[in-house]
Amino acid sequence: MKTTKMILWGFVLLALTFTACSQSALEGDWDPMKWTAEESYQMVDGIFMVPQEGATFTFTCKNYSKPWVSDAQQGGIYLRPQEPQPETPYDFNIIVGDTFRAEIHDNIFTVTFTPNTATSSRLVSITVTAGDIFYTFRFAYRNP
């Protein structure tokens, strides 16, 4: 009888071990954002190349319906989404830098760059989010 109880408890513990290690997604697990470009843009090492005359880039998120702008960096300066006007909240759909304006509406992300009048290349990174998942777009102006 004692041996039977021990064997039964062994099976119970074994069953609990396998059921506790299921393959279901854990809370906080988010699929990576999947973006497609509306056109074929030139990239070098994962960085979109902005022509000297400026350009507009358009991307579509395929697996999140309403991402928003988290932040941006331009020339090492951290930027936040559109600053609020009196009695208006931040607009997390727009971010503006010295040389670009980025907007996101539903799952369409558009970034417009002004012409590069500087003598050096410029780097811009813009991060979008949909909660606990982030995606960073990186852009570089070509040298004049």
mmCIF file of all heavy atoms in Angstrom, residues 42-82:
data_model
loop_
_atom_site.group_PDB
_atom_site.id
_atom_site.type_symbol
_atom_site.label_atom_id
_atom_site.label_comp_id
_atom_site.label_asym_id
_atom_site.label_seq_id
_atom_site.Cartn_x
_atom_site.Cartn_y
_atom_site.Cartn_z
ATOM 1 N N GLN A 42 16.660 52.816 -50.090
ATOM 2 C CA GLN A 42 18.048 52.391 -49.960
ATOM 3 C C GLN A 42 18.405 52.284 -48.481
ATOM 4 O O GLN A 42 18.125 53.193 -47.693
ATOM 5 C CB GLN A 42 18.991 53.369 -50.644
ATOM 6 C CG GLN A 42 20.436 52.910 -50.556
ATOM 7 C CD GLN A 42 21.408 53.880 -51.199
ATOM 8 O OE1 GLN A 42 21.031 54.935 -51.678
ATOM 9 N NE2 GLN A 42 22.671 53.510 -51.199
ATOM 10 N N MET A 43 19.023 51.157 -48.122
ATOM 11 C CA MET A 43 19.468 50.922 -46.744
ATOM 12 C C MET A 43 20.927 50.515 -46.752
ATOM 13 O O MET A 43 21.387 49.829 -47.659
ATOM 14 C CB MET A 43 18.648 49.822 -46.079
ATOM 15 C CG MET A 43 17.222 50.179 -45.799
ATOM 16 S SD MET A 43 16.353 48.832 -44.947
ATOM 17 C CE MET A 43 16.987 49.032 -43.292
ATOM 18 N N VAL A 44 21.639 50.936 -45.695
ATOM 19 C CA VAL A 44 23.011 50.514 -45.476
ATOM 20 C C VAL A 44 23.112 50.104 -44.011
ATOM 21 O O VAL A 44 22.847 50.917 -43.117
ATOM 22 C CB VAL A 44 24.017 51.656 -45.792
ATOM 23 C CG1 VAL A 44 25.428 51.230 -45.440
ATOM 24 C CG2 VAL A 44 23.911 52.076 -47.246
ATOM 25 N N ASP A 45 23.437 48.853 -43.766
ATOM 26 C CA ASP A 45 23.567 48.321 -42.401
ATOM 27 C C ASP A 45 22.325 48.596 -41.552
ATOM 28 O O ASP A 45 22.420 49.003 -40.394
ATOM 29 C CB ASP A 45 24.808 48.892 -41.717
ATOM 30 C CG ASP A 45 26.101 48.461 -42.391
ATOM 31 O OD1 ASP A 45 26.140 47.342 -42.953
ATOM 32 O OD2 ASP A 45 27.070 49.246 -42.368
ATOM 33 N N GLY A 46 21.134 48.428 -42.137
ATOM 34 C CA GLY A 46 19.891 48.604 -41.392
ATOM 35 C C GLY A 46 19.464 50.047 -41.195
ATOM 36 O O GLY A 46 18.526 50.328 -40.459
ATOM 37 N N ILE A 47 20.144 50.974 -41.865
ATOM 38 C CA ILE A 47 19.831 52.401 -41.750
ATOM 39 C C ILE A 47 19.289 52.889 -43.090
ATOM 40 O O ILE A 47 19.906 52.657 -44.137
ATOM 41 C CB ILE A 47 21.077 53.215 -41.356
ATOM 42 C CG1 ILE A 47 21.605 52.738 -39.999
ATOM 43 C CG2 ILE A 47 20.765 54.705 -41.325
ATOM 44 C CD1 ILE A 47 22.945 53.335 -39.608
ATOM 45 N N PHE A 48 18.129 53.540 -43.057
ATOM 46 C CA PHE A 48 17.557 54.107 -44.279
ATOM 47 C C PHE A 48 18.357 55.342 -44.675
ATOM 48 O O PHE A 48 18.609 56.218 -43.847
ATOM 49 C CB PHE A 48 16.088 54.483 -44.067
ATOM 50 C CG PHE A 48 15.200 53.297 -43.874
ATOM 51 C CD1 PHE A 48 14.840 52.900 -42.595
ATOM 52 C CD2 PHE A 48 14.723 52.568 -44.955
ATOM 53 C CE1 PHE A 48 14.018 51.799 -42.398
ATOM 54 C CE2 PHE A 48 13.916 51.460 -44.775
ATOM 55 C CZ PHE A 48 13.557 51.071 -43.487
ATOM 56 N N MET A 49 18.738 55.418 -45.938
ATOM 57 C CA MET A 49 19.536 56.533 -46.441
ATOM 58 C C MET A 49 18.603 57.612 -46.988
ATOM 59 O O MET A 49 17.792 57.348 -47.869
ATOM 60 C CB MET A 49 20.497 56.057 -47.532
ATOM 61 C CG MET A 49 21.455 54.956 -47.045
ATOM 62 S SD MET A 49 22.379 55.366 -45.547
ATOM 63 C CE MET A 49 23.394 56.690 -46.111
ATOM 64 N N VAL A 50 18.716 58.814 -46.436
ATOM 65 C CA VAL A 50 17.903 59.952 -46.859
ATOM 66 C C VAL A 50 18.701 60.728 -47.897
ATOM 67 O O VAL A 50 19.818 61.149 -47.625
ATOM 68 C CB VAL A 50 17.561 60.863 -45.659
ATOM 69 C CG1 VAL A 50 16.712 62.041 -46.109
ATOM 70 C CG2 VAL A 50 16.880 60.078 -44.550
ATOM 71 N N PRO A 51 18.140 60.943 -49.096
ATOM 72 C CA PRO A 51 18.879 61.724 -50.088
ATOM 73 C C PRO A 51 19.085 63.163 -49.634
ATOM 74 O O PRO A 51 18.335 63.675 -48.809
ATOM 75 C CB PRO A 51 17.992 61.668 -51.340
ATOM 76 C CG PRO A 51 16.751 60.978 -50.963
ATOM 77 C CD PRO A 51 16.869 60.477 -49.574
ATOM 78 N N GLN A 52 20.095 63.803 -50.177
ATOM 79 C CA GLN A 52 20.435 65.170 -49.775
ATOM 80 C C GLN A 52 19.258 66.116 -49.963
ATOM 81 O O GLN A 52 19.048 67.035 -49.174
ATOM 82 C CB GLN A 52 21.637 65.668 -50.576
ATOM 83 C CG GLN A 52 22.079 67.058 -50.180
ATOM 84 C CD GLN A 52 23.265 67.540 -50.990
ATOM 85 O OE1 GLN A 52 23.808 66.809 -51.802
ATOM 86 N NE2 GLN A 52 23.651 68.773 -50.767
ATOM 87 N N GLU A 53 18.432 65.878 -50.977
ATOM 88 C CA GLU A 53 17.296 66.775 -51.228
ATOM 89 C C GLU A 53 16.106 66.511 -50.312
ATOM 90 O O GLU A 53 15.081 67.180 -50.405
ATOM 91 C CB GLU A 53 16.860 66.683 -52.700
ATOM 92 C CG GLU A 53 16.360 65.327 -53.134
ATOM 93 C CD GLU A 53 17.466 64.391 -53.618
ATOM 94 O OE1 GLU A 53 18.670 64.703 -53.475
ATOM 95 O OE2 GLU A 53 17.115 63.309 -54.123
ATOM 96 N N GLY A 54 16.222 65.556 -49.388
ATOM 97 C CA GLY A 54 15.130 65.218 -48.485
ATOM 98 C C GLY A 54 14.247 64.152 -49.109
ATOM 99 O O GLY A 54 14.395 63.814 -50.282
ATOM 100 N N ALA A 55 13.309 63.630 -48.345
ATOM 101 C CA ALA A 55 12.445 62.565 -48.851
ATOM 102 C C ALA A 55 11.342 62.278 -47.845
ATOM 103 O O ALA A 55 11.413 62.701 -46.682
ATOM 104 C CB ALA A 55 13.255 61.296 -49.107
ATOM 105 N N THR A 56 10.345 61.539 -48.312
ATOM 106 C CA THR A 56 9.282 61.051 -47.437
ATOM 107 C C THR A 56 9.306 59.531 -47.464
ATOM 108 O O THR A 56 9.365 58.926 -48.537
ATOM 109 C CB THR A 56 7.903 61.569 -47.897
ATOM 110 O OG1 THR A 56 7.902 62.997 -47.788
ATOM 111 C CG2 THR A 56 6.789 61.004 -47.034
ATOM 112 N N PHE A 57 9.291 58.924 -46.280
ATOM 113 C CA PHE A 57 9.286 57.477 -46.118
ATOM 114 C C PHE A 57 7.948 57.077 -45.519
ATOM 115 O O PHE A 57 7.487 57.706 -44.552
ATOM 116 C CB PHE A 57 10.406 57.037 -45.167
ATOM 117 C CG PHE A 57 11.790 57.300 -45.681
ATOM 118 C CD1 PHE A 57 12.348 58.569 -45.608
ATOM 119 C CD2 PHE A 57 12.539 56.277 -46.234
ATOM 120 C CE1 PHE A 57 13.628 58.821 -46.071
ATOM 121 C CE2 PHE A 57 13.825 56.509 -46.701
ATOM 122 C CZ PHE A 57 14.368 57.786 -46.620
ATOM 123 N N THR A 58 7.339 56.021 -46.047
ATOM 124 C CA THR A 58 6.062 55.544 -45.528
ATOM 125 C C THR A 58 6.168 54.052 -45.248
ATOM 126 O O THR A 58 6.634 53.283 -46.096
ATOM 127 C CB THR A 58 4.922 55.818 -46.531
ATOM 128 O OG1 THR A 58 4.890 57.218 -46.798
ATOM 129 C CG2 THR A 58 3.578 55.391 -45.950
ATOM 130 N N PHE A 59 5.722 53.662 -44.060
ATOM 131 C CA PHE A 59 5.775 52.272 -43.622
ATOM 132 C C PHE A 59 4.405 51.861 -43.079
ATOM 133 O O PHE A 59 3.669 52.689 -42.551
ATOM 134 C CB PHE A 59 6.808 52.096 -42.503
ATOM 135 C CG PHE A 59 8.173 52.606 -42.866
ATOM 136 C CD1 PHE A 59 8.551 53.905 -42.543
ATOM 137 C CD2 PHE A 59 9.083 51.798 -43.520
ATOM 138 C CE1 PHE A 59 9.808 54.395 -42.867
ATOM 139 C CE2 PHE A 59 10.348 52.274 -43.850
ATOM 140 C CZ PHE A 59 10.713 53.578 -43.518
ATOM 141 N N THR A 60 4.098 50.567 -43.172
ATOM 142 C CA THR A 60 2.852 50.022 -42.646
ATOM 143 C C THR A 60 3.182 48.913 -41.662
ATOM 144 O O THR A 60 3.951 48.002 -41.975
ATOM 145 C CB THR A 60 1.979 49.452 -43.782
ATOM 146 O OG1 THR A 60 1.730 50.489 -44.726
ATOM 147 C CG2 THR A 60 0.661 48.931 -43.247
ATOM 148 N N CYS A 61 2.578 48.992 -40.465
ATOM 149 C CA CYS A 61 2.752 47.925 -39.471
ATOM 150 C C CYS A 61 1.722 46.838 -39.778
ATOM 151 O O CYS A 61 0.523 47.109 -39.836
ATOM 152 C CB CYS A 61 2.557 48.464 -38.058
ATOM 153 S SG CYS A 61 2.917 47.225 -36.787
ATOM 154 N N LYS A 62 2.192 45.621 -39.962
ATOM 155 C CA LYS A 62 1.320 44.524 -40.370
ATOM 156 C C LYS A 62 0.671 43.783 -39.208
ATOM 157 O O LYS A 62 -0.312 43.085 -39.414
ATOM 158 C CB LYS A 62 2.111 43.527 -41.230
ATOM 159 C CG LYS A 62 2.580 44.118 -42.545
ATOM 160 C CD LYS A 62 1.395 44.538 -43.378
ATOM 161 C CE LYS A 62 1.826 45.037 -44.735
ATOM 162 N NZ LYS A 62 0.697 45.455 -45.552
ATOM 163 N N ASN A 63 1.190 43.926 -37.991
ATOM 164 C CA ASN A 63 0.627 43.122 -36.912
ATOM 165 C C ASN A 63 0.173 43.918 -35.683
ATOM 166 O O ASN A 63 -0.235 43.322 -34.691
ATOM 167 C CB ASN A 63 1.601 42.018 -36.498
ATOM 168 C CG ASN A 63 2.927 42.543 -36.001
ATOM 169 O OD1 ASN A 63 3.331 43.651 -36.329
ATOM 170 N ND2 ASN A 63 3.619 41.741 -35.209
ATOM 171 N N TYR A 64 0.213 45.234 -35.735
ATOM 172 C CA TYR A 64 -0.360 46.065 -34.667
ATOM 173 C C TYR A 64 -1.154 47.170 -35.351
ATOM 174 O O TYR A 64 -0.663 47.817 -36.269
ATOM 175 C CB TYR A 64 0.719 46.657 -33.754
ATOM 176 C CG TYR A 64 1.397 45.609 -32.900
ATOM 177 C CD1 TYR A 64 2.602 45.020 -33.310
ATOM 178 C CD2 TYR A 64 0.834 45.199 -31.698
ATOM 179 C CE1 TYR A 64 3.209 44.051 -32.540
ATOM 180 C CE2 TYR A 64 1.443 44.219 -30.928
ATOM 181 C CZ TYR A 64 2.626 43.651 -31.354
ATOM 182 O OH TYR A 64 3.222 42.689 -30.598
ATOM 183 N N SER A 65 -2.376 47.403 -34.885
ATOM 184 C CA SER A 65 -3.260 48.321 -35.597
ATOM 185 C C SER A 65 -3.082 49.789 -35.215
ATOM 186 O O SER A 65 -3.409 50.661 -36.004
ATOM 187 C CB SER A 65 -4.716 47.912 -35.390
ATOM 188 O OG SER A 65 -5.054 47.988 -34.017
ATOM 189 N N LYS A 66 -2.589 50.085 -34.033
ATOM 190 C CA LYS A 66 -2.477 51.482 -33.612
ATOM 191 C C LYS A 66 -1.218 51.738 -32.787
ATOM 192 O O LYS A 66 -1.299 52.133 -31.625
ATOM 193 C CB LYS A 66 -3.713 51.893 -32.822
ATOM 194 C CG LYS A 66 -4.972 51.929 -33.651
ATOM 195 C CD LYS A 66 -6.058 52.697 -32.943
ATOM 196 C CE LYS A 66 -7.313 52.694 -33.750
ATOM 197 N NZ LYS A 66 -7.323 53.631 -34.830
ATOM 198 N N PRO A 67 -0.034 51.545 -33.372
ATOM 199 C CA PRO A 67 1.174 51.924 -32.631
ATOM 200 C C PRO A 67 1.263 53.440 -32.512
ATOM 201 O O PRO A 67 0.523 54.167 -33.176
ATOM 202 C CB PRO A 67 2.309 51.361 -33.484
ATOM 203 C CG PRO A 67 1.736 51.175 -34.836
ATOM 204 C CD PRO A 67 0.255 50.987 -34.676
ATOM 205 N N TRP A 68 2.161 53.918 -31.659
ATOM 206 C CA TRP A 68 2.340 55.354 -31.478
ATOM 207 C C TRP A 68 3.816 55.655 -31.299
ATOM 208 O O TRP A 68 4.627 54.759 -31.131
ATOM 209 C CB TRP A 68 1.501 55.878 -30.312
ATOM 210 C CG TRP A 68 1.848 55.284 -28.979
ATOM 211 C CD1 TRP A 68 2.750 55.768 -28.071
ATOM 212 C CD2 TRP A 68 1.308 54.090 -28.389
ATOM 213 N NE1 TRP A 68 2.800 54.959 -26.963
ATOM 214 C CE2 TRP A 68 1.919 53.920 -27.136
ATOM 215 C CE3 TRP A 68 0.372 53.148 -28.806
ATOM 216 C CZ2 TRP A 68 1.624 52.847 -26.299
ATOM 217 C CZ3 TRP A 68 0.070 52.082 -27.968
ATOM 218 C CH2 TRP A 68 0.695 51.948 -26.731
ATOM 219 N N VAL A 69 4.156 56.938 -31.371
ATOM 220 C CA VAL A 69 5.549 57.366 -31.274
ATOM 221 C C VAL A 69 5.986 57.354 -29.814
ATOM 222 O O VAL A 69 5.293 57.880 -28.944
ATOM 223 C CB VAL A 69 5.729 58.778 -31.867
ATOM 224 C CG1 VAL A 69 7.160 59.256 -31.691
ATOM 225 C CG2 VAL A 69 5.332 58.800 -33.333
ATOM 226 N N SER A 70 7.134 56.780 -29.567
ATOM 227 C CA SER A 70 7.705 56.769 -28.222
ATOM 228 C C SER A 70 8.660 57.940 -28.039
ATOM 229 O O SER A 70 8.506 58.743 -27.125
ATOM 230 C CB SER A 70 8.431 55.449 -27.972
ATOM 231 O OG SER A 70 9.142 55.495 -26.758
ATOM 232 N N ASP A 71 9.663 58.031 -28.913
ATOM 233 C CA ASP A 71 10.672 59.087 -28.804
ATOM 234 C C ASP A 71 11.515 59.110 -30.068
ATOM 235 O O ASP A 71 11.330 58.278 -30.953
ATOM 236 C CB ASP A 71 11.554 58.885 -27.573
ATOM 237 C CG ASP A 71 12.280 57.550 -27.592
ATOM 238 O OD1 ASP A 71 13.233 57.415 -28.373
ATOM 239 O OD2 ASP A 71 11.892 56.640 -26.830
ATOM 240 N N ALA A 72 12.433 60.047 -30.120
ATOM 241 C CA ALA A 72 13.371 60.136 -31.240
ATOM 242 C C ALA A 72 14.684 60.704 -30.726
ATOM 243 O O ALA A 72 14.739 61.301 -29.642
ATOM 244 C CB ALA A 72 12.806 61.022 -32.351
ATOM 245 N N GLN A 73 15.717 60.501 -31.506
ATOM 246 C CA GLN A 73 17.016 61.119 -31.234
ATOM 247 C C GLN A 73 17.538 61.702 -32.529
ATOM 248 O O GLN A 73 17.465 61.057 -33.581
ATOM 249 C CB GLN A 73 18.005 60.105 -30.684
ATOM 250 C CG GLN A 73 17.699 59.699 -29.273
ATOM 251 C CD GLN A 73 18.821 58.870 -28.671
ATOM 252 O OE1 GLN A 73 19.970 58.915 -29.112
ATOM 253 N NE2 GLN A 73 18.491 58.103 -27.660
ATOM 254 N N GLN A 74 18.043 62.924 -32.429
ATOM 255 C CA GLN A 74 18.623 63.590 -33.587
ATOM 256 C C GLN A 74 19.906 64.262 -33.136
ATOM 257 O O GLN A 74 19.884 65.112 -32.248
ATOM 258 C CB GLN A 74 17.645 64.628 -34.148
ATOM 259 C CG GLN A 74 18.168 65.337 -35.366
ATOM 260 C CD GLN A 74 17.155 66.301 -35.952
ATOM 261 O OE1 GLN A 74 16.202 66.707 -35.314
ATOM 262 N NE2 GLN A 74 17.381 66.666 -37.191
ATOM 263 N N GLY A 75 21.014 63.836 -33.712
ATOM 264 C CA GLY A 75 22.301 64.410 -33.340
ATOM 265 C C GLY A 75 22.599 64.259 -31.857
ATOM 266 O O GLY A 75 23.189 65.148 -31.254
ATOM 267 N N GLY A 76 22.170 63.146 -31.253
ATOM 268 C CA GLY A 76 22.413 62.905 -29.835
ATOM 269 C C GLY A 76 21.443 63.607 -28.905
ATOM 270 O O GLY A 76 21.555 63.494 -27.688
ATOM 271 N N ILE A 77 20.469 64.330 -29.449
ATOM 272 C CA ILE A 77 19.482 65.032 -28.624
ATOM 273 C C ILE A 77 18.202 64.203 -28.579
ATOM 274 O O ILE A 77 17.685 63.779 -29.623
ATOM 275 C CB ILE A 77 19.192 66.443 -29.179
ATOM 276 C CG1 ILE A 77 20.467 67.279 -29.136
ATOM 277 C CG2 ILE A 77 18.072 67.116 -28.401
ATOM 278 C CD1 ILE A 77 20.361 68.601 -29.869
ATOM 279 N N TYR A 78 17.712 63.967 -27.391
ATOM 280 C CA TYR A 78 16.498 63.184 -27.171
ATOM 281 C C TYR A 78 15.274 64.067 -27.405
ATOM 282 O O TYR A 78 15.197 65.180 -26.892
ATOM 283 C CB TYR A 78 16.512 62.638 -25.735
ATOM 284 C CG TYR A 78 15.274 61.887 -25.340
ATOM 285 C CD1 TYR A 78 15.074 60.573 -25.743
ATOM 286 C CD2 TYR A 78 14.293 62.493 -24.557
ATOM 287 C CE1 TYR A 78 13.939 59.882 -25.376
ATOM 288 C CE2 TYR A 78 13.158 61.808 -24.183
ATOM 289 C CZ TYR A 78 12.989 60.502 -24.600
ATOM 290 O OH TYR A 78 11.857 59.814 -24.239
ATOM 291 N N LEU A 79 14.316 63.564 -28.186
ATOM 292 C CA LEU A 79 13.092 64.299 -28.481
ATOM 293 C C LEU A 79 11.875 63.509 -28.006
ATOM 294 O O LEU A 79 11.860 62.280 -28.077
ATOM 295 C CB LEU A 79 12.960 64.534 -29.991
ATOM 296 C CG LEU A 79 14.127 65.246 -30.670
ATOM 297 C CD1 LEU A 79 13.986 65.167 -32.176
ATOM 298 C CD2 LEU A 79 14.197 66.682 -30.202
ATOM 299 N N ARG A 80 10.862 64.224 -27.549
ATOM 300 C CA ARG A 80 9.614 63.597 -27.131
ATOM 301 C C ARG A 80 8.530 63.900 -28.165
ATOM 302 O O ARG A 80 8.691 64.793 -28.984
ATOM 303 C CB ARG A 80 9.180 64.129 -25.766
ATOM 304 C CG ARG A 80 10.188 63.812 -24.676
ATOM 305 C CD ARG A 80 9.738 64.244 -23.323
ATOM 306 N NE ARG A 80 9.224 65.619 -23.337
ATOM 307 C CZ ARG A 80 8.820 66.255 -22.269
ATOM 308 N NH1 ARG A 80 8.839 65.670 -21.113
ATOM 309 N NH2 ARG A 80 8.369 67.487 -22.352
ATOM 310 N N PRO A 81 7.396 63.194 -28.091
ATOM 311 C CA PRO A 81 6.298 63.495 -29.006
ATOM 312 C C PRO A 81 5.840 64.944 -28.882
ATOM 313 O O PRO A 81 6.215 65.650 -27.949
ATOM 314 C CB PRO A 81 5.192 62.540 -28.568
ATOM 315 C CG PRO A 81 5.920 61.410 -27.943
ATOM 316 C CD PRO A 81 7.114 62.040 -27.262
ATOM 317 N N GLN A 82 5.016 65.353 -29.834
ATOM 318 C CA GLN A 82 4.530 66.723 -29.939
ATOM 319 C C GLN A 82 4.170 67.295 -28.577
ATOM 320 O O GLN A 82 3.352 66.744 -27.859
ATOM 321 C CB GLN A 82 3.299 66.754 -30.853
ATOM 322 C CG GLN A 82 2.785 68.116 -31.169
ATOM 323 C CD GLN A 82 3.599 68.821 -32.240
ATOM 324 O OE1 GLN A 82 4.341 68.203 -32.959
ATOM 325 N NE2 GLN A 82 3.454 70.114 -32.319
#
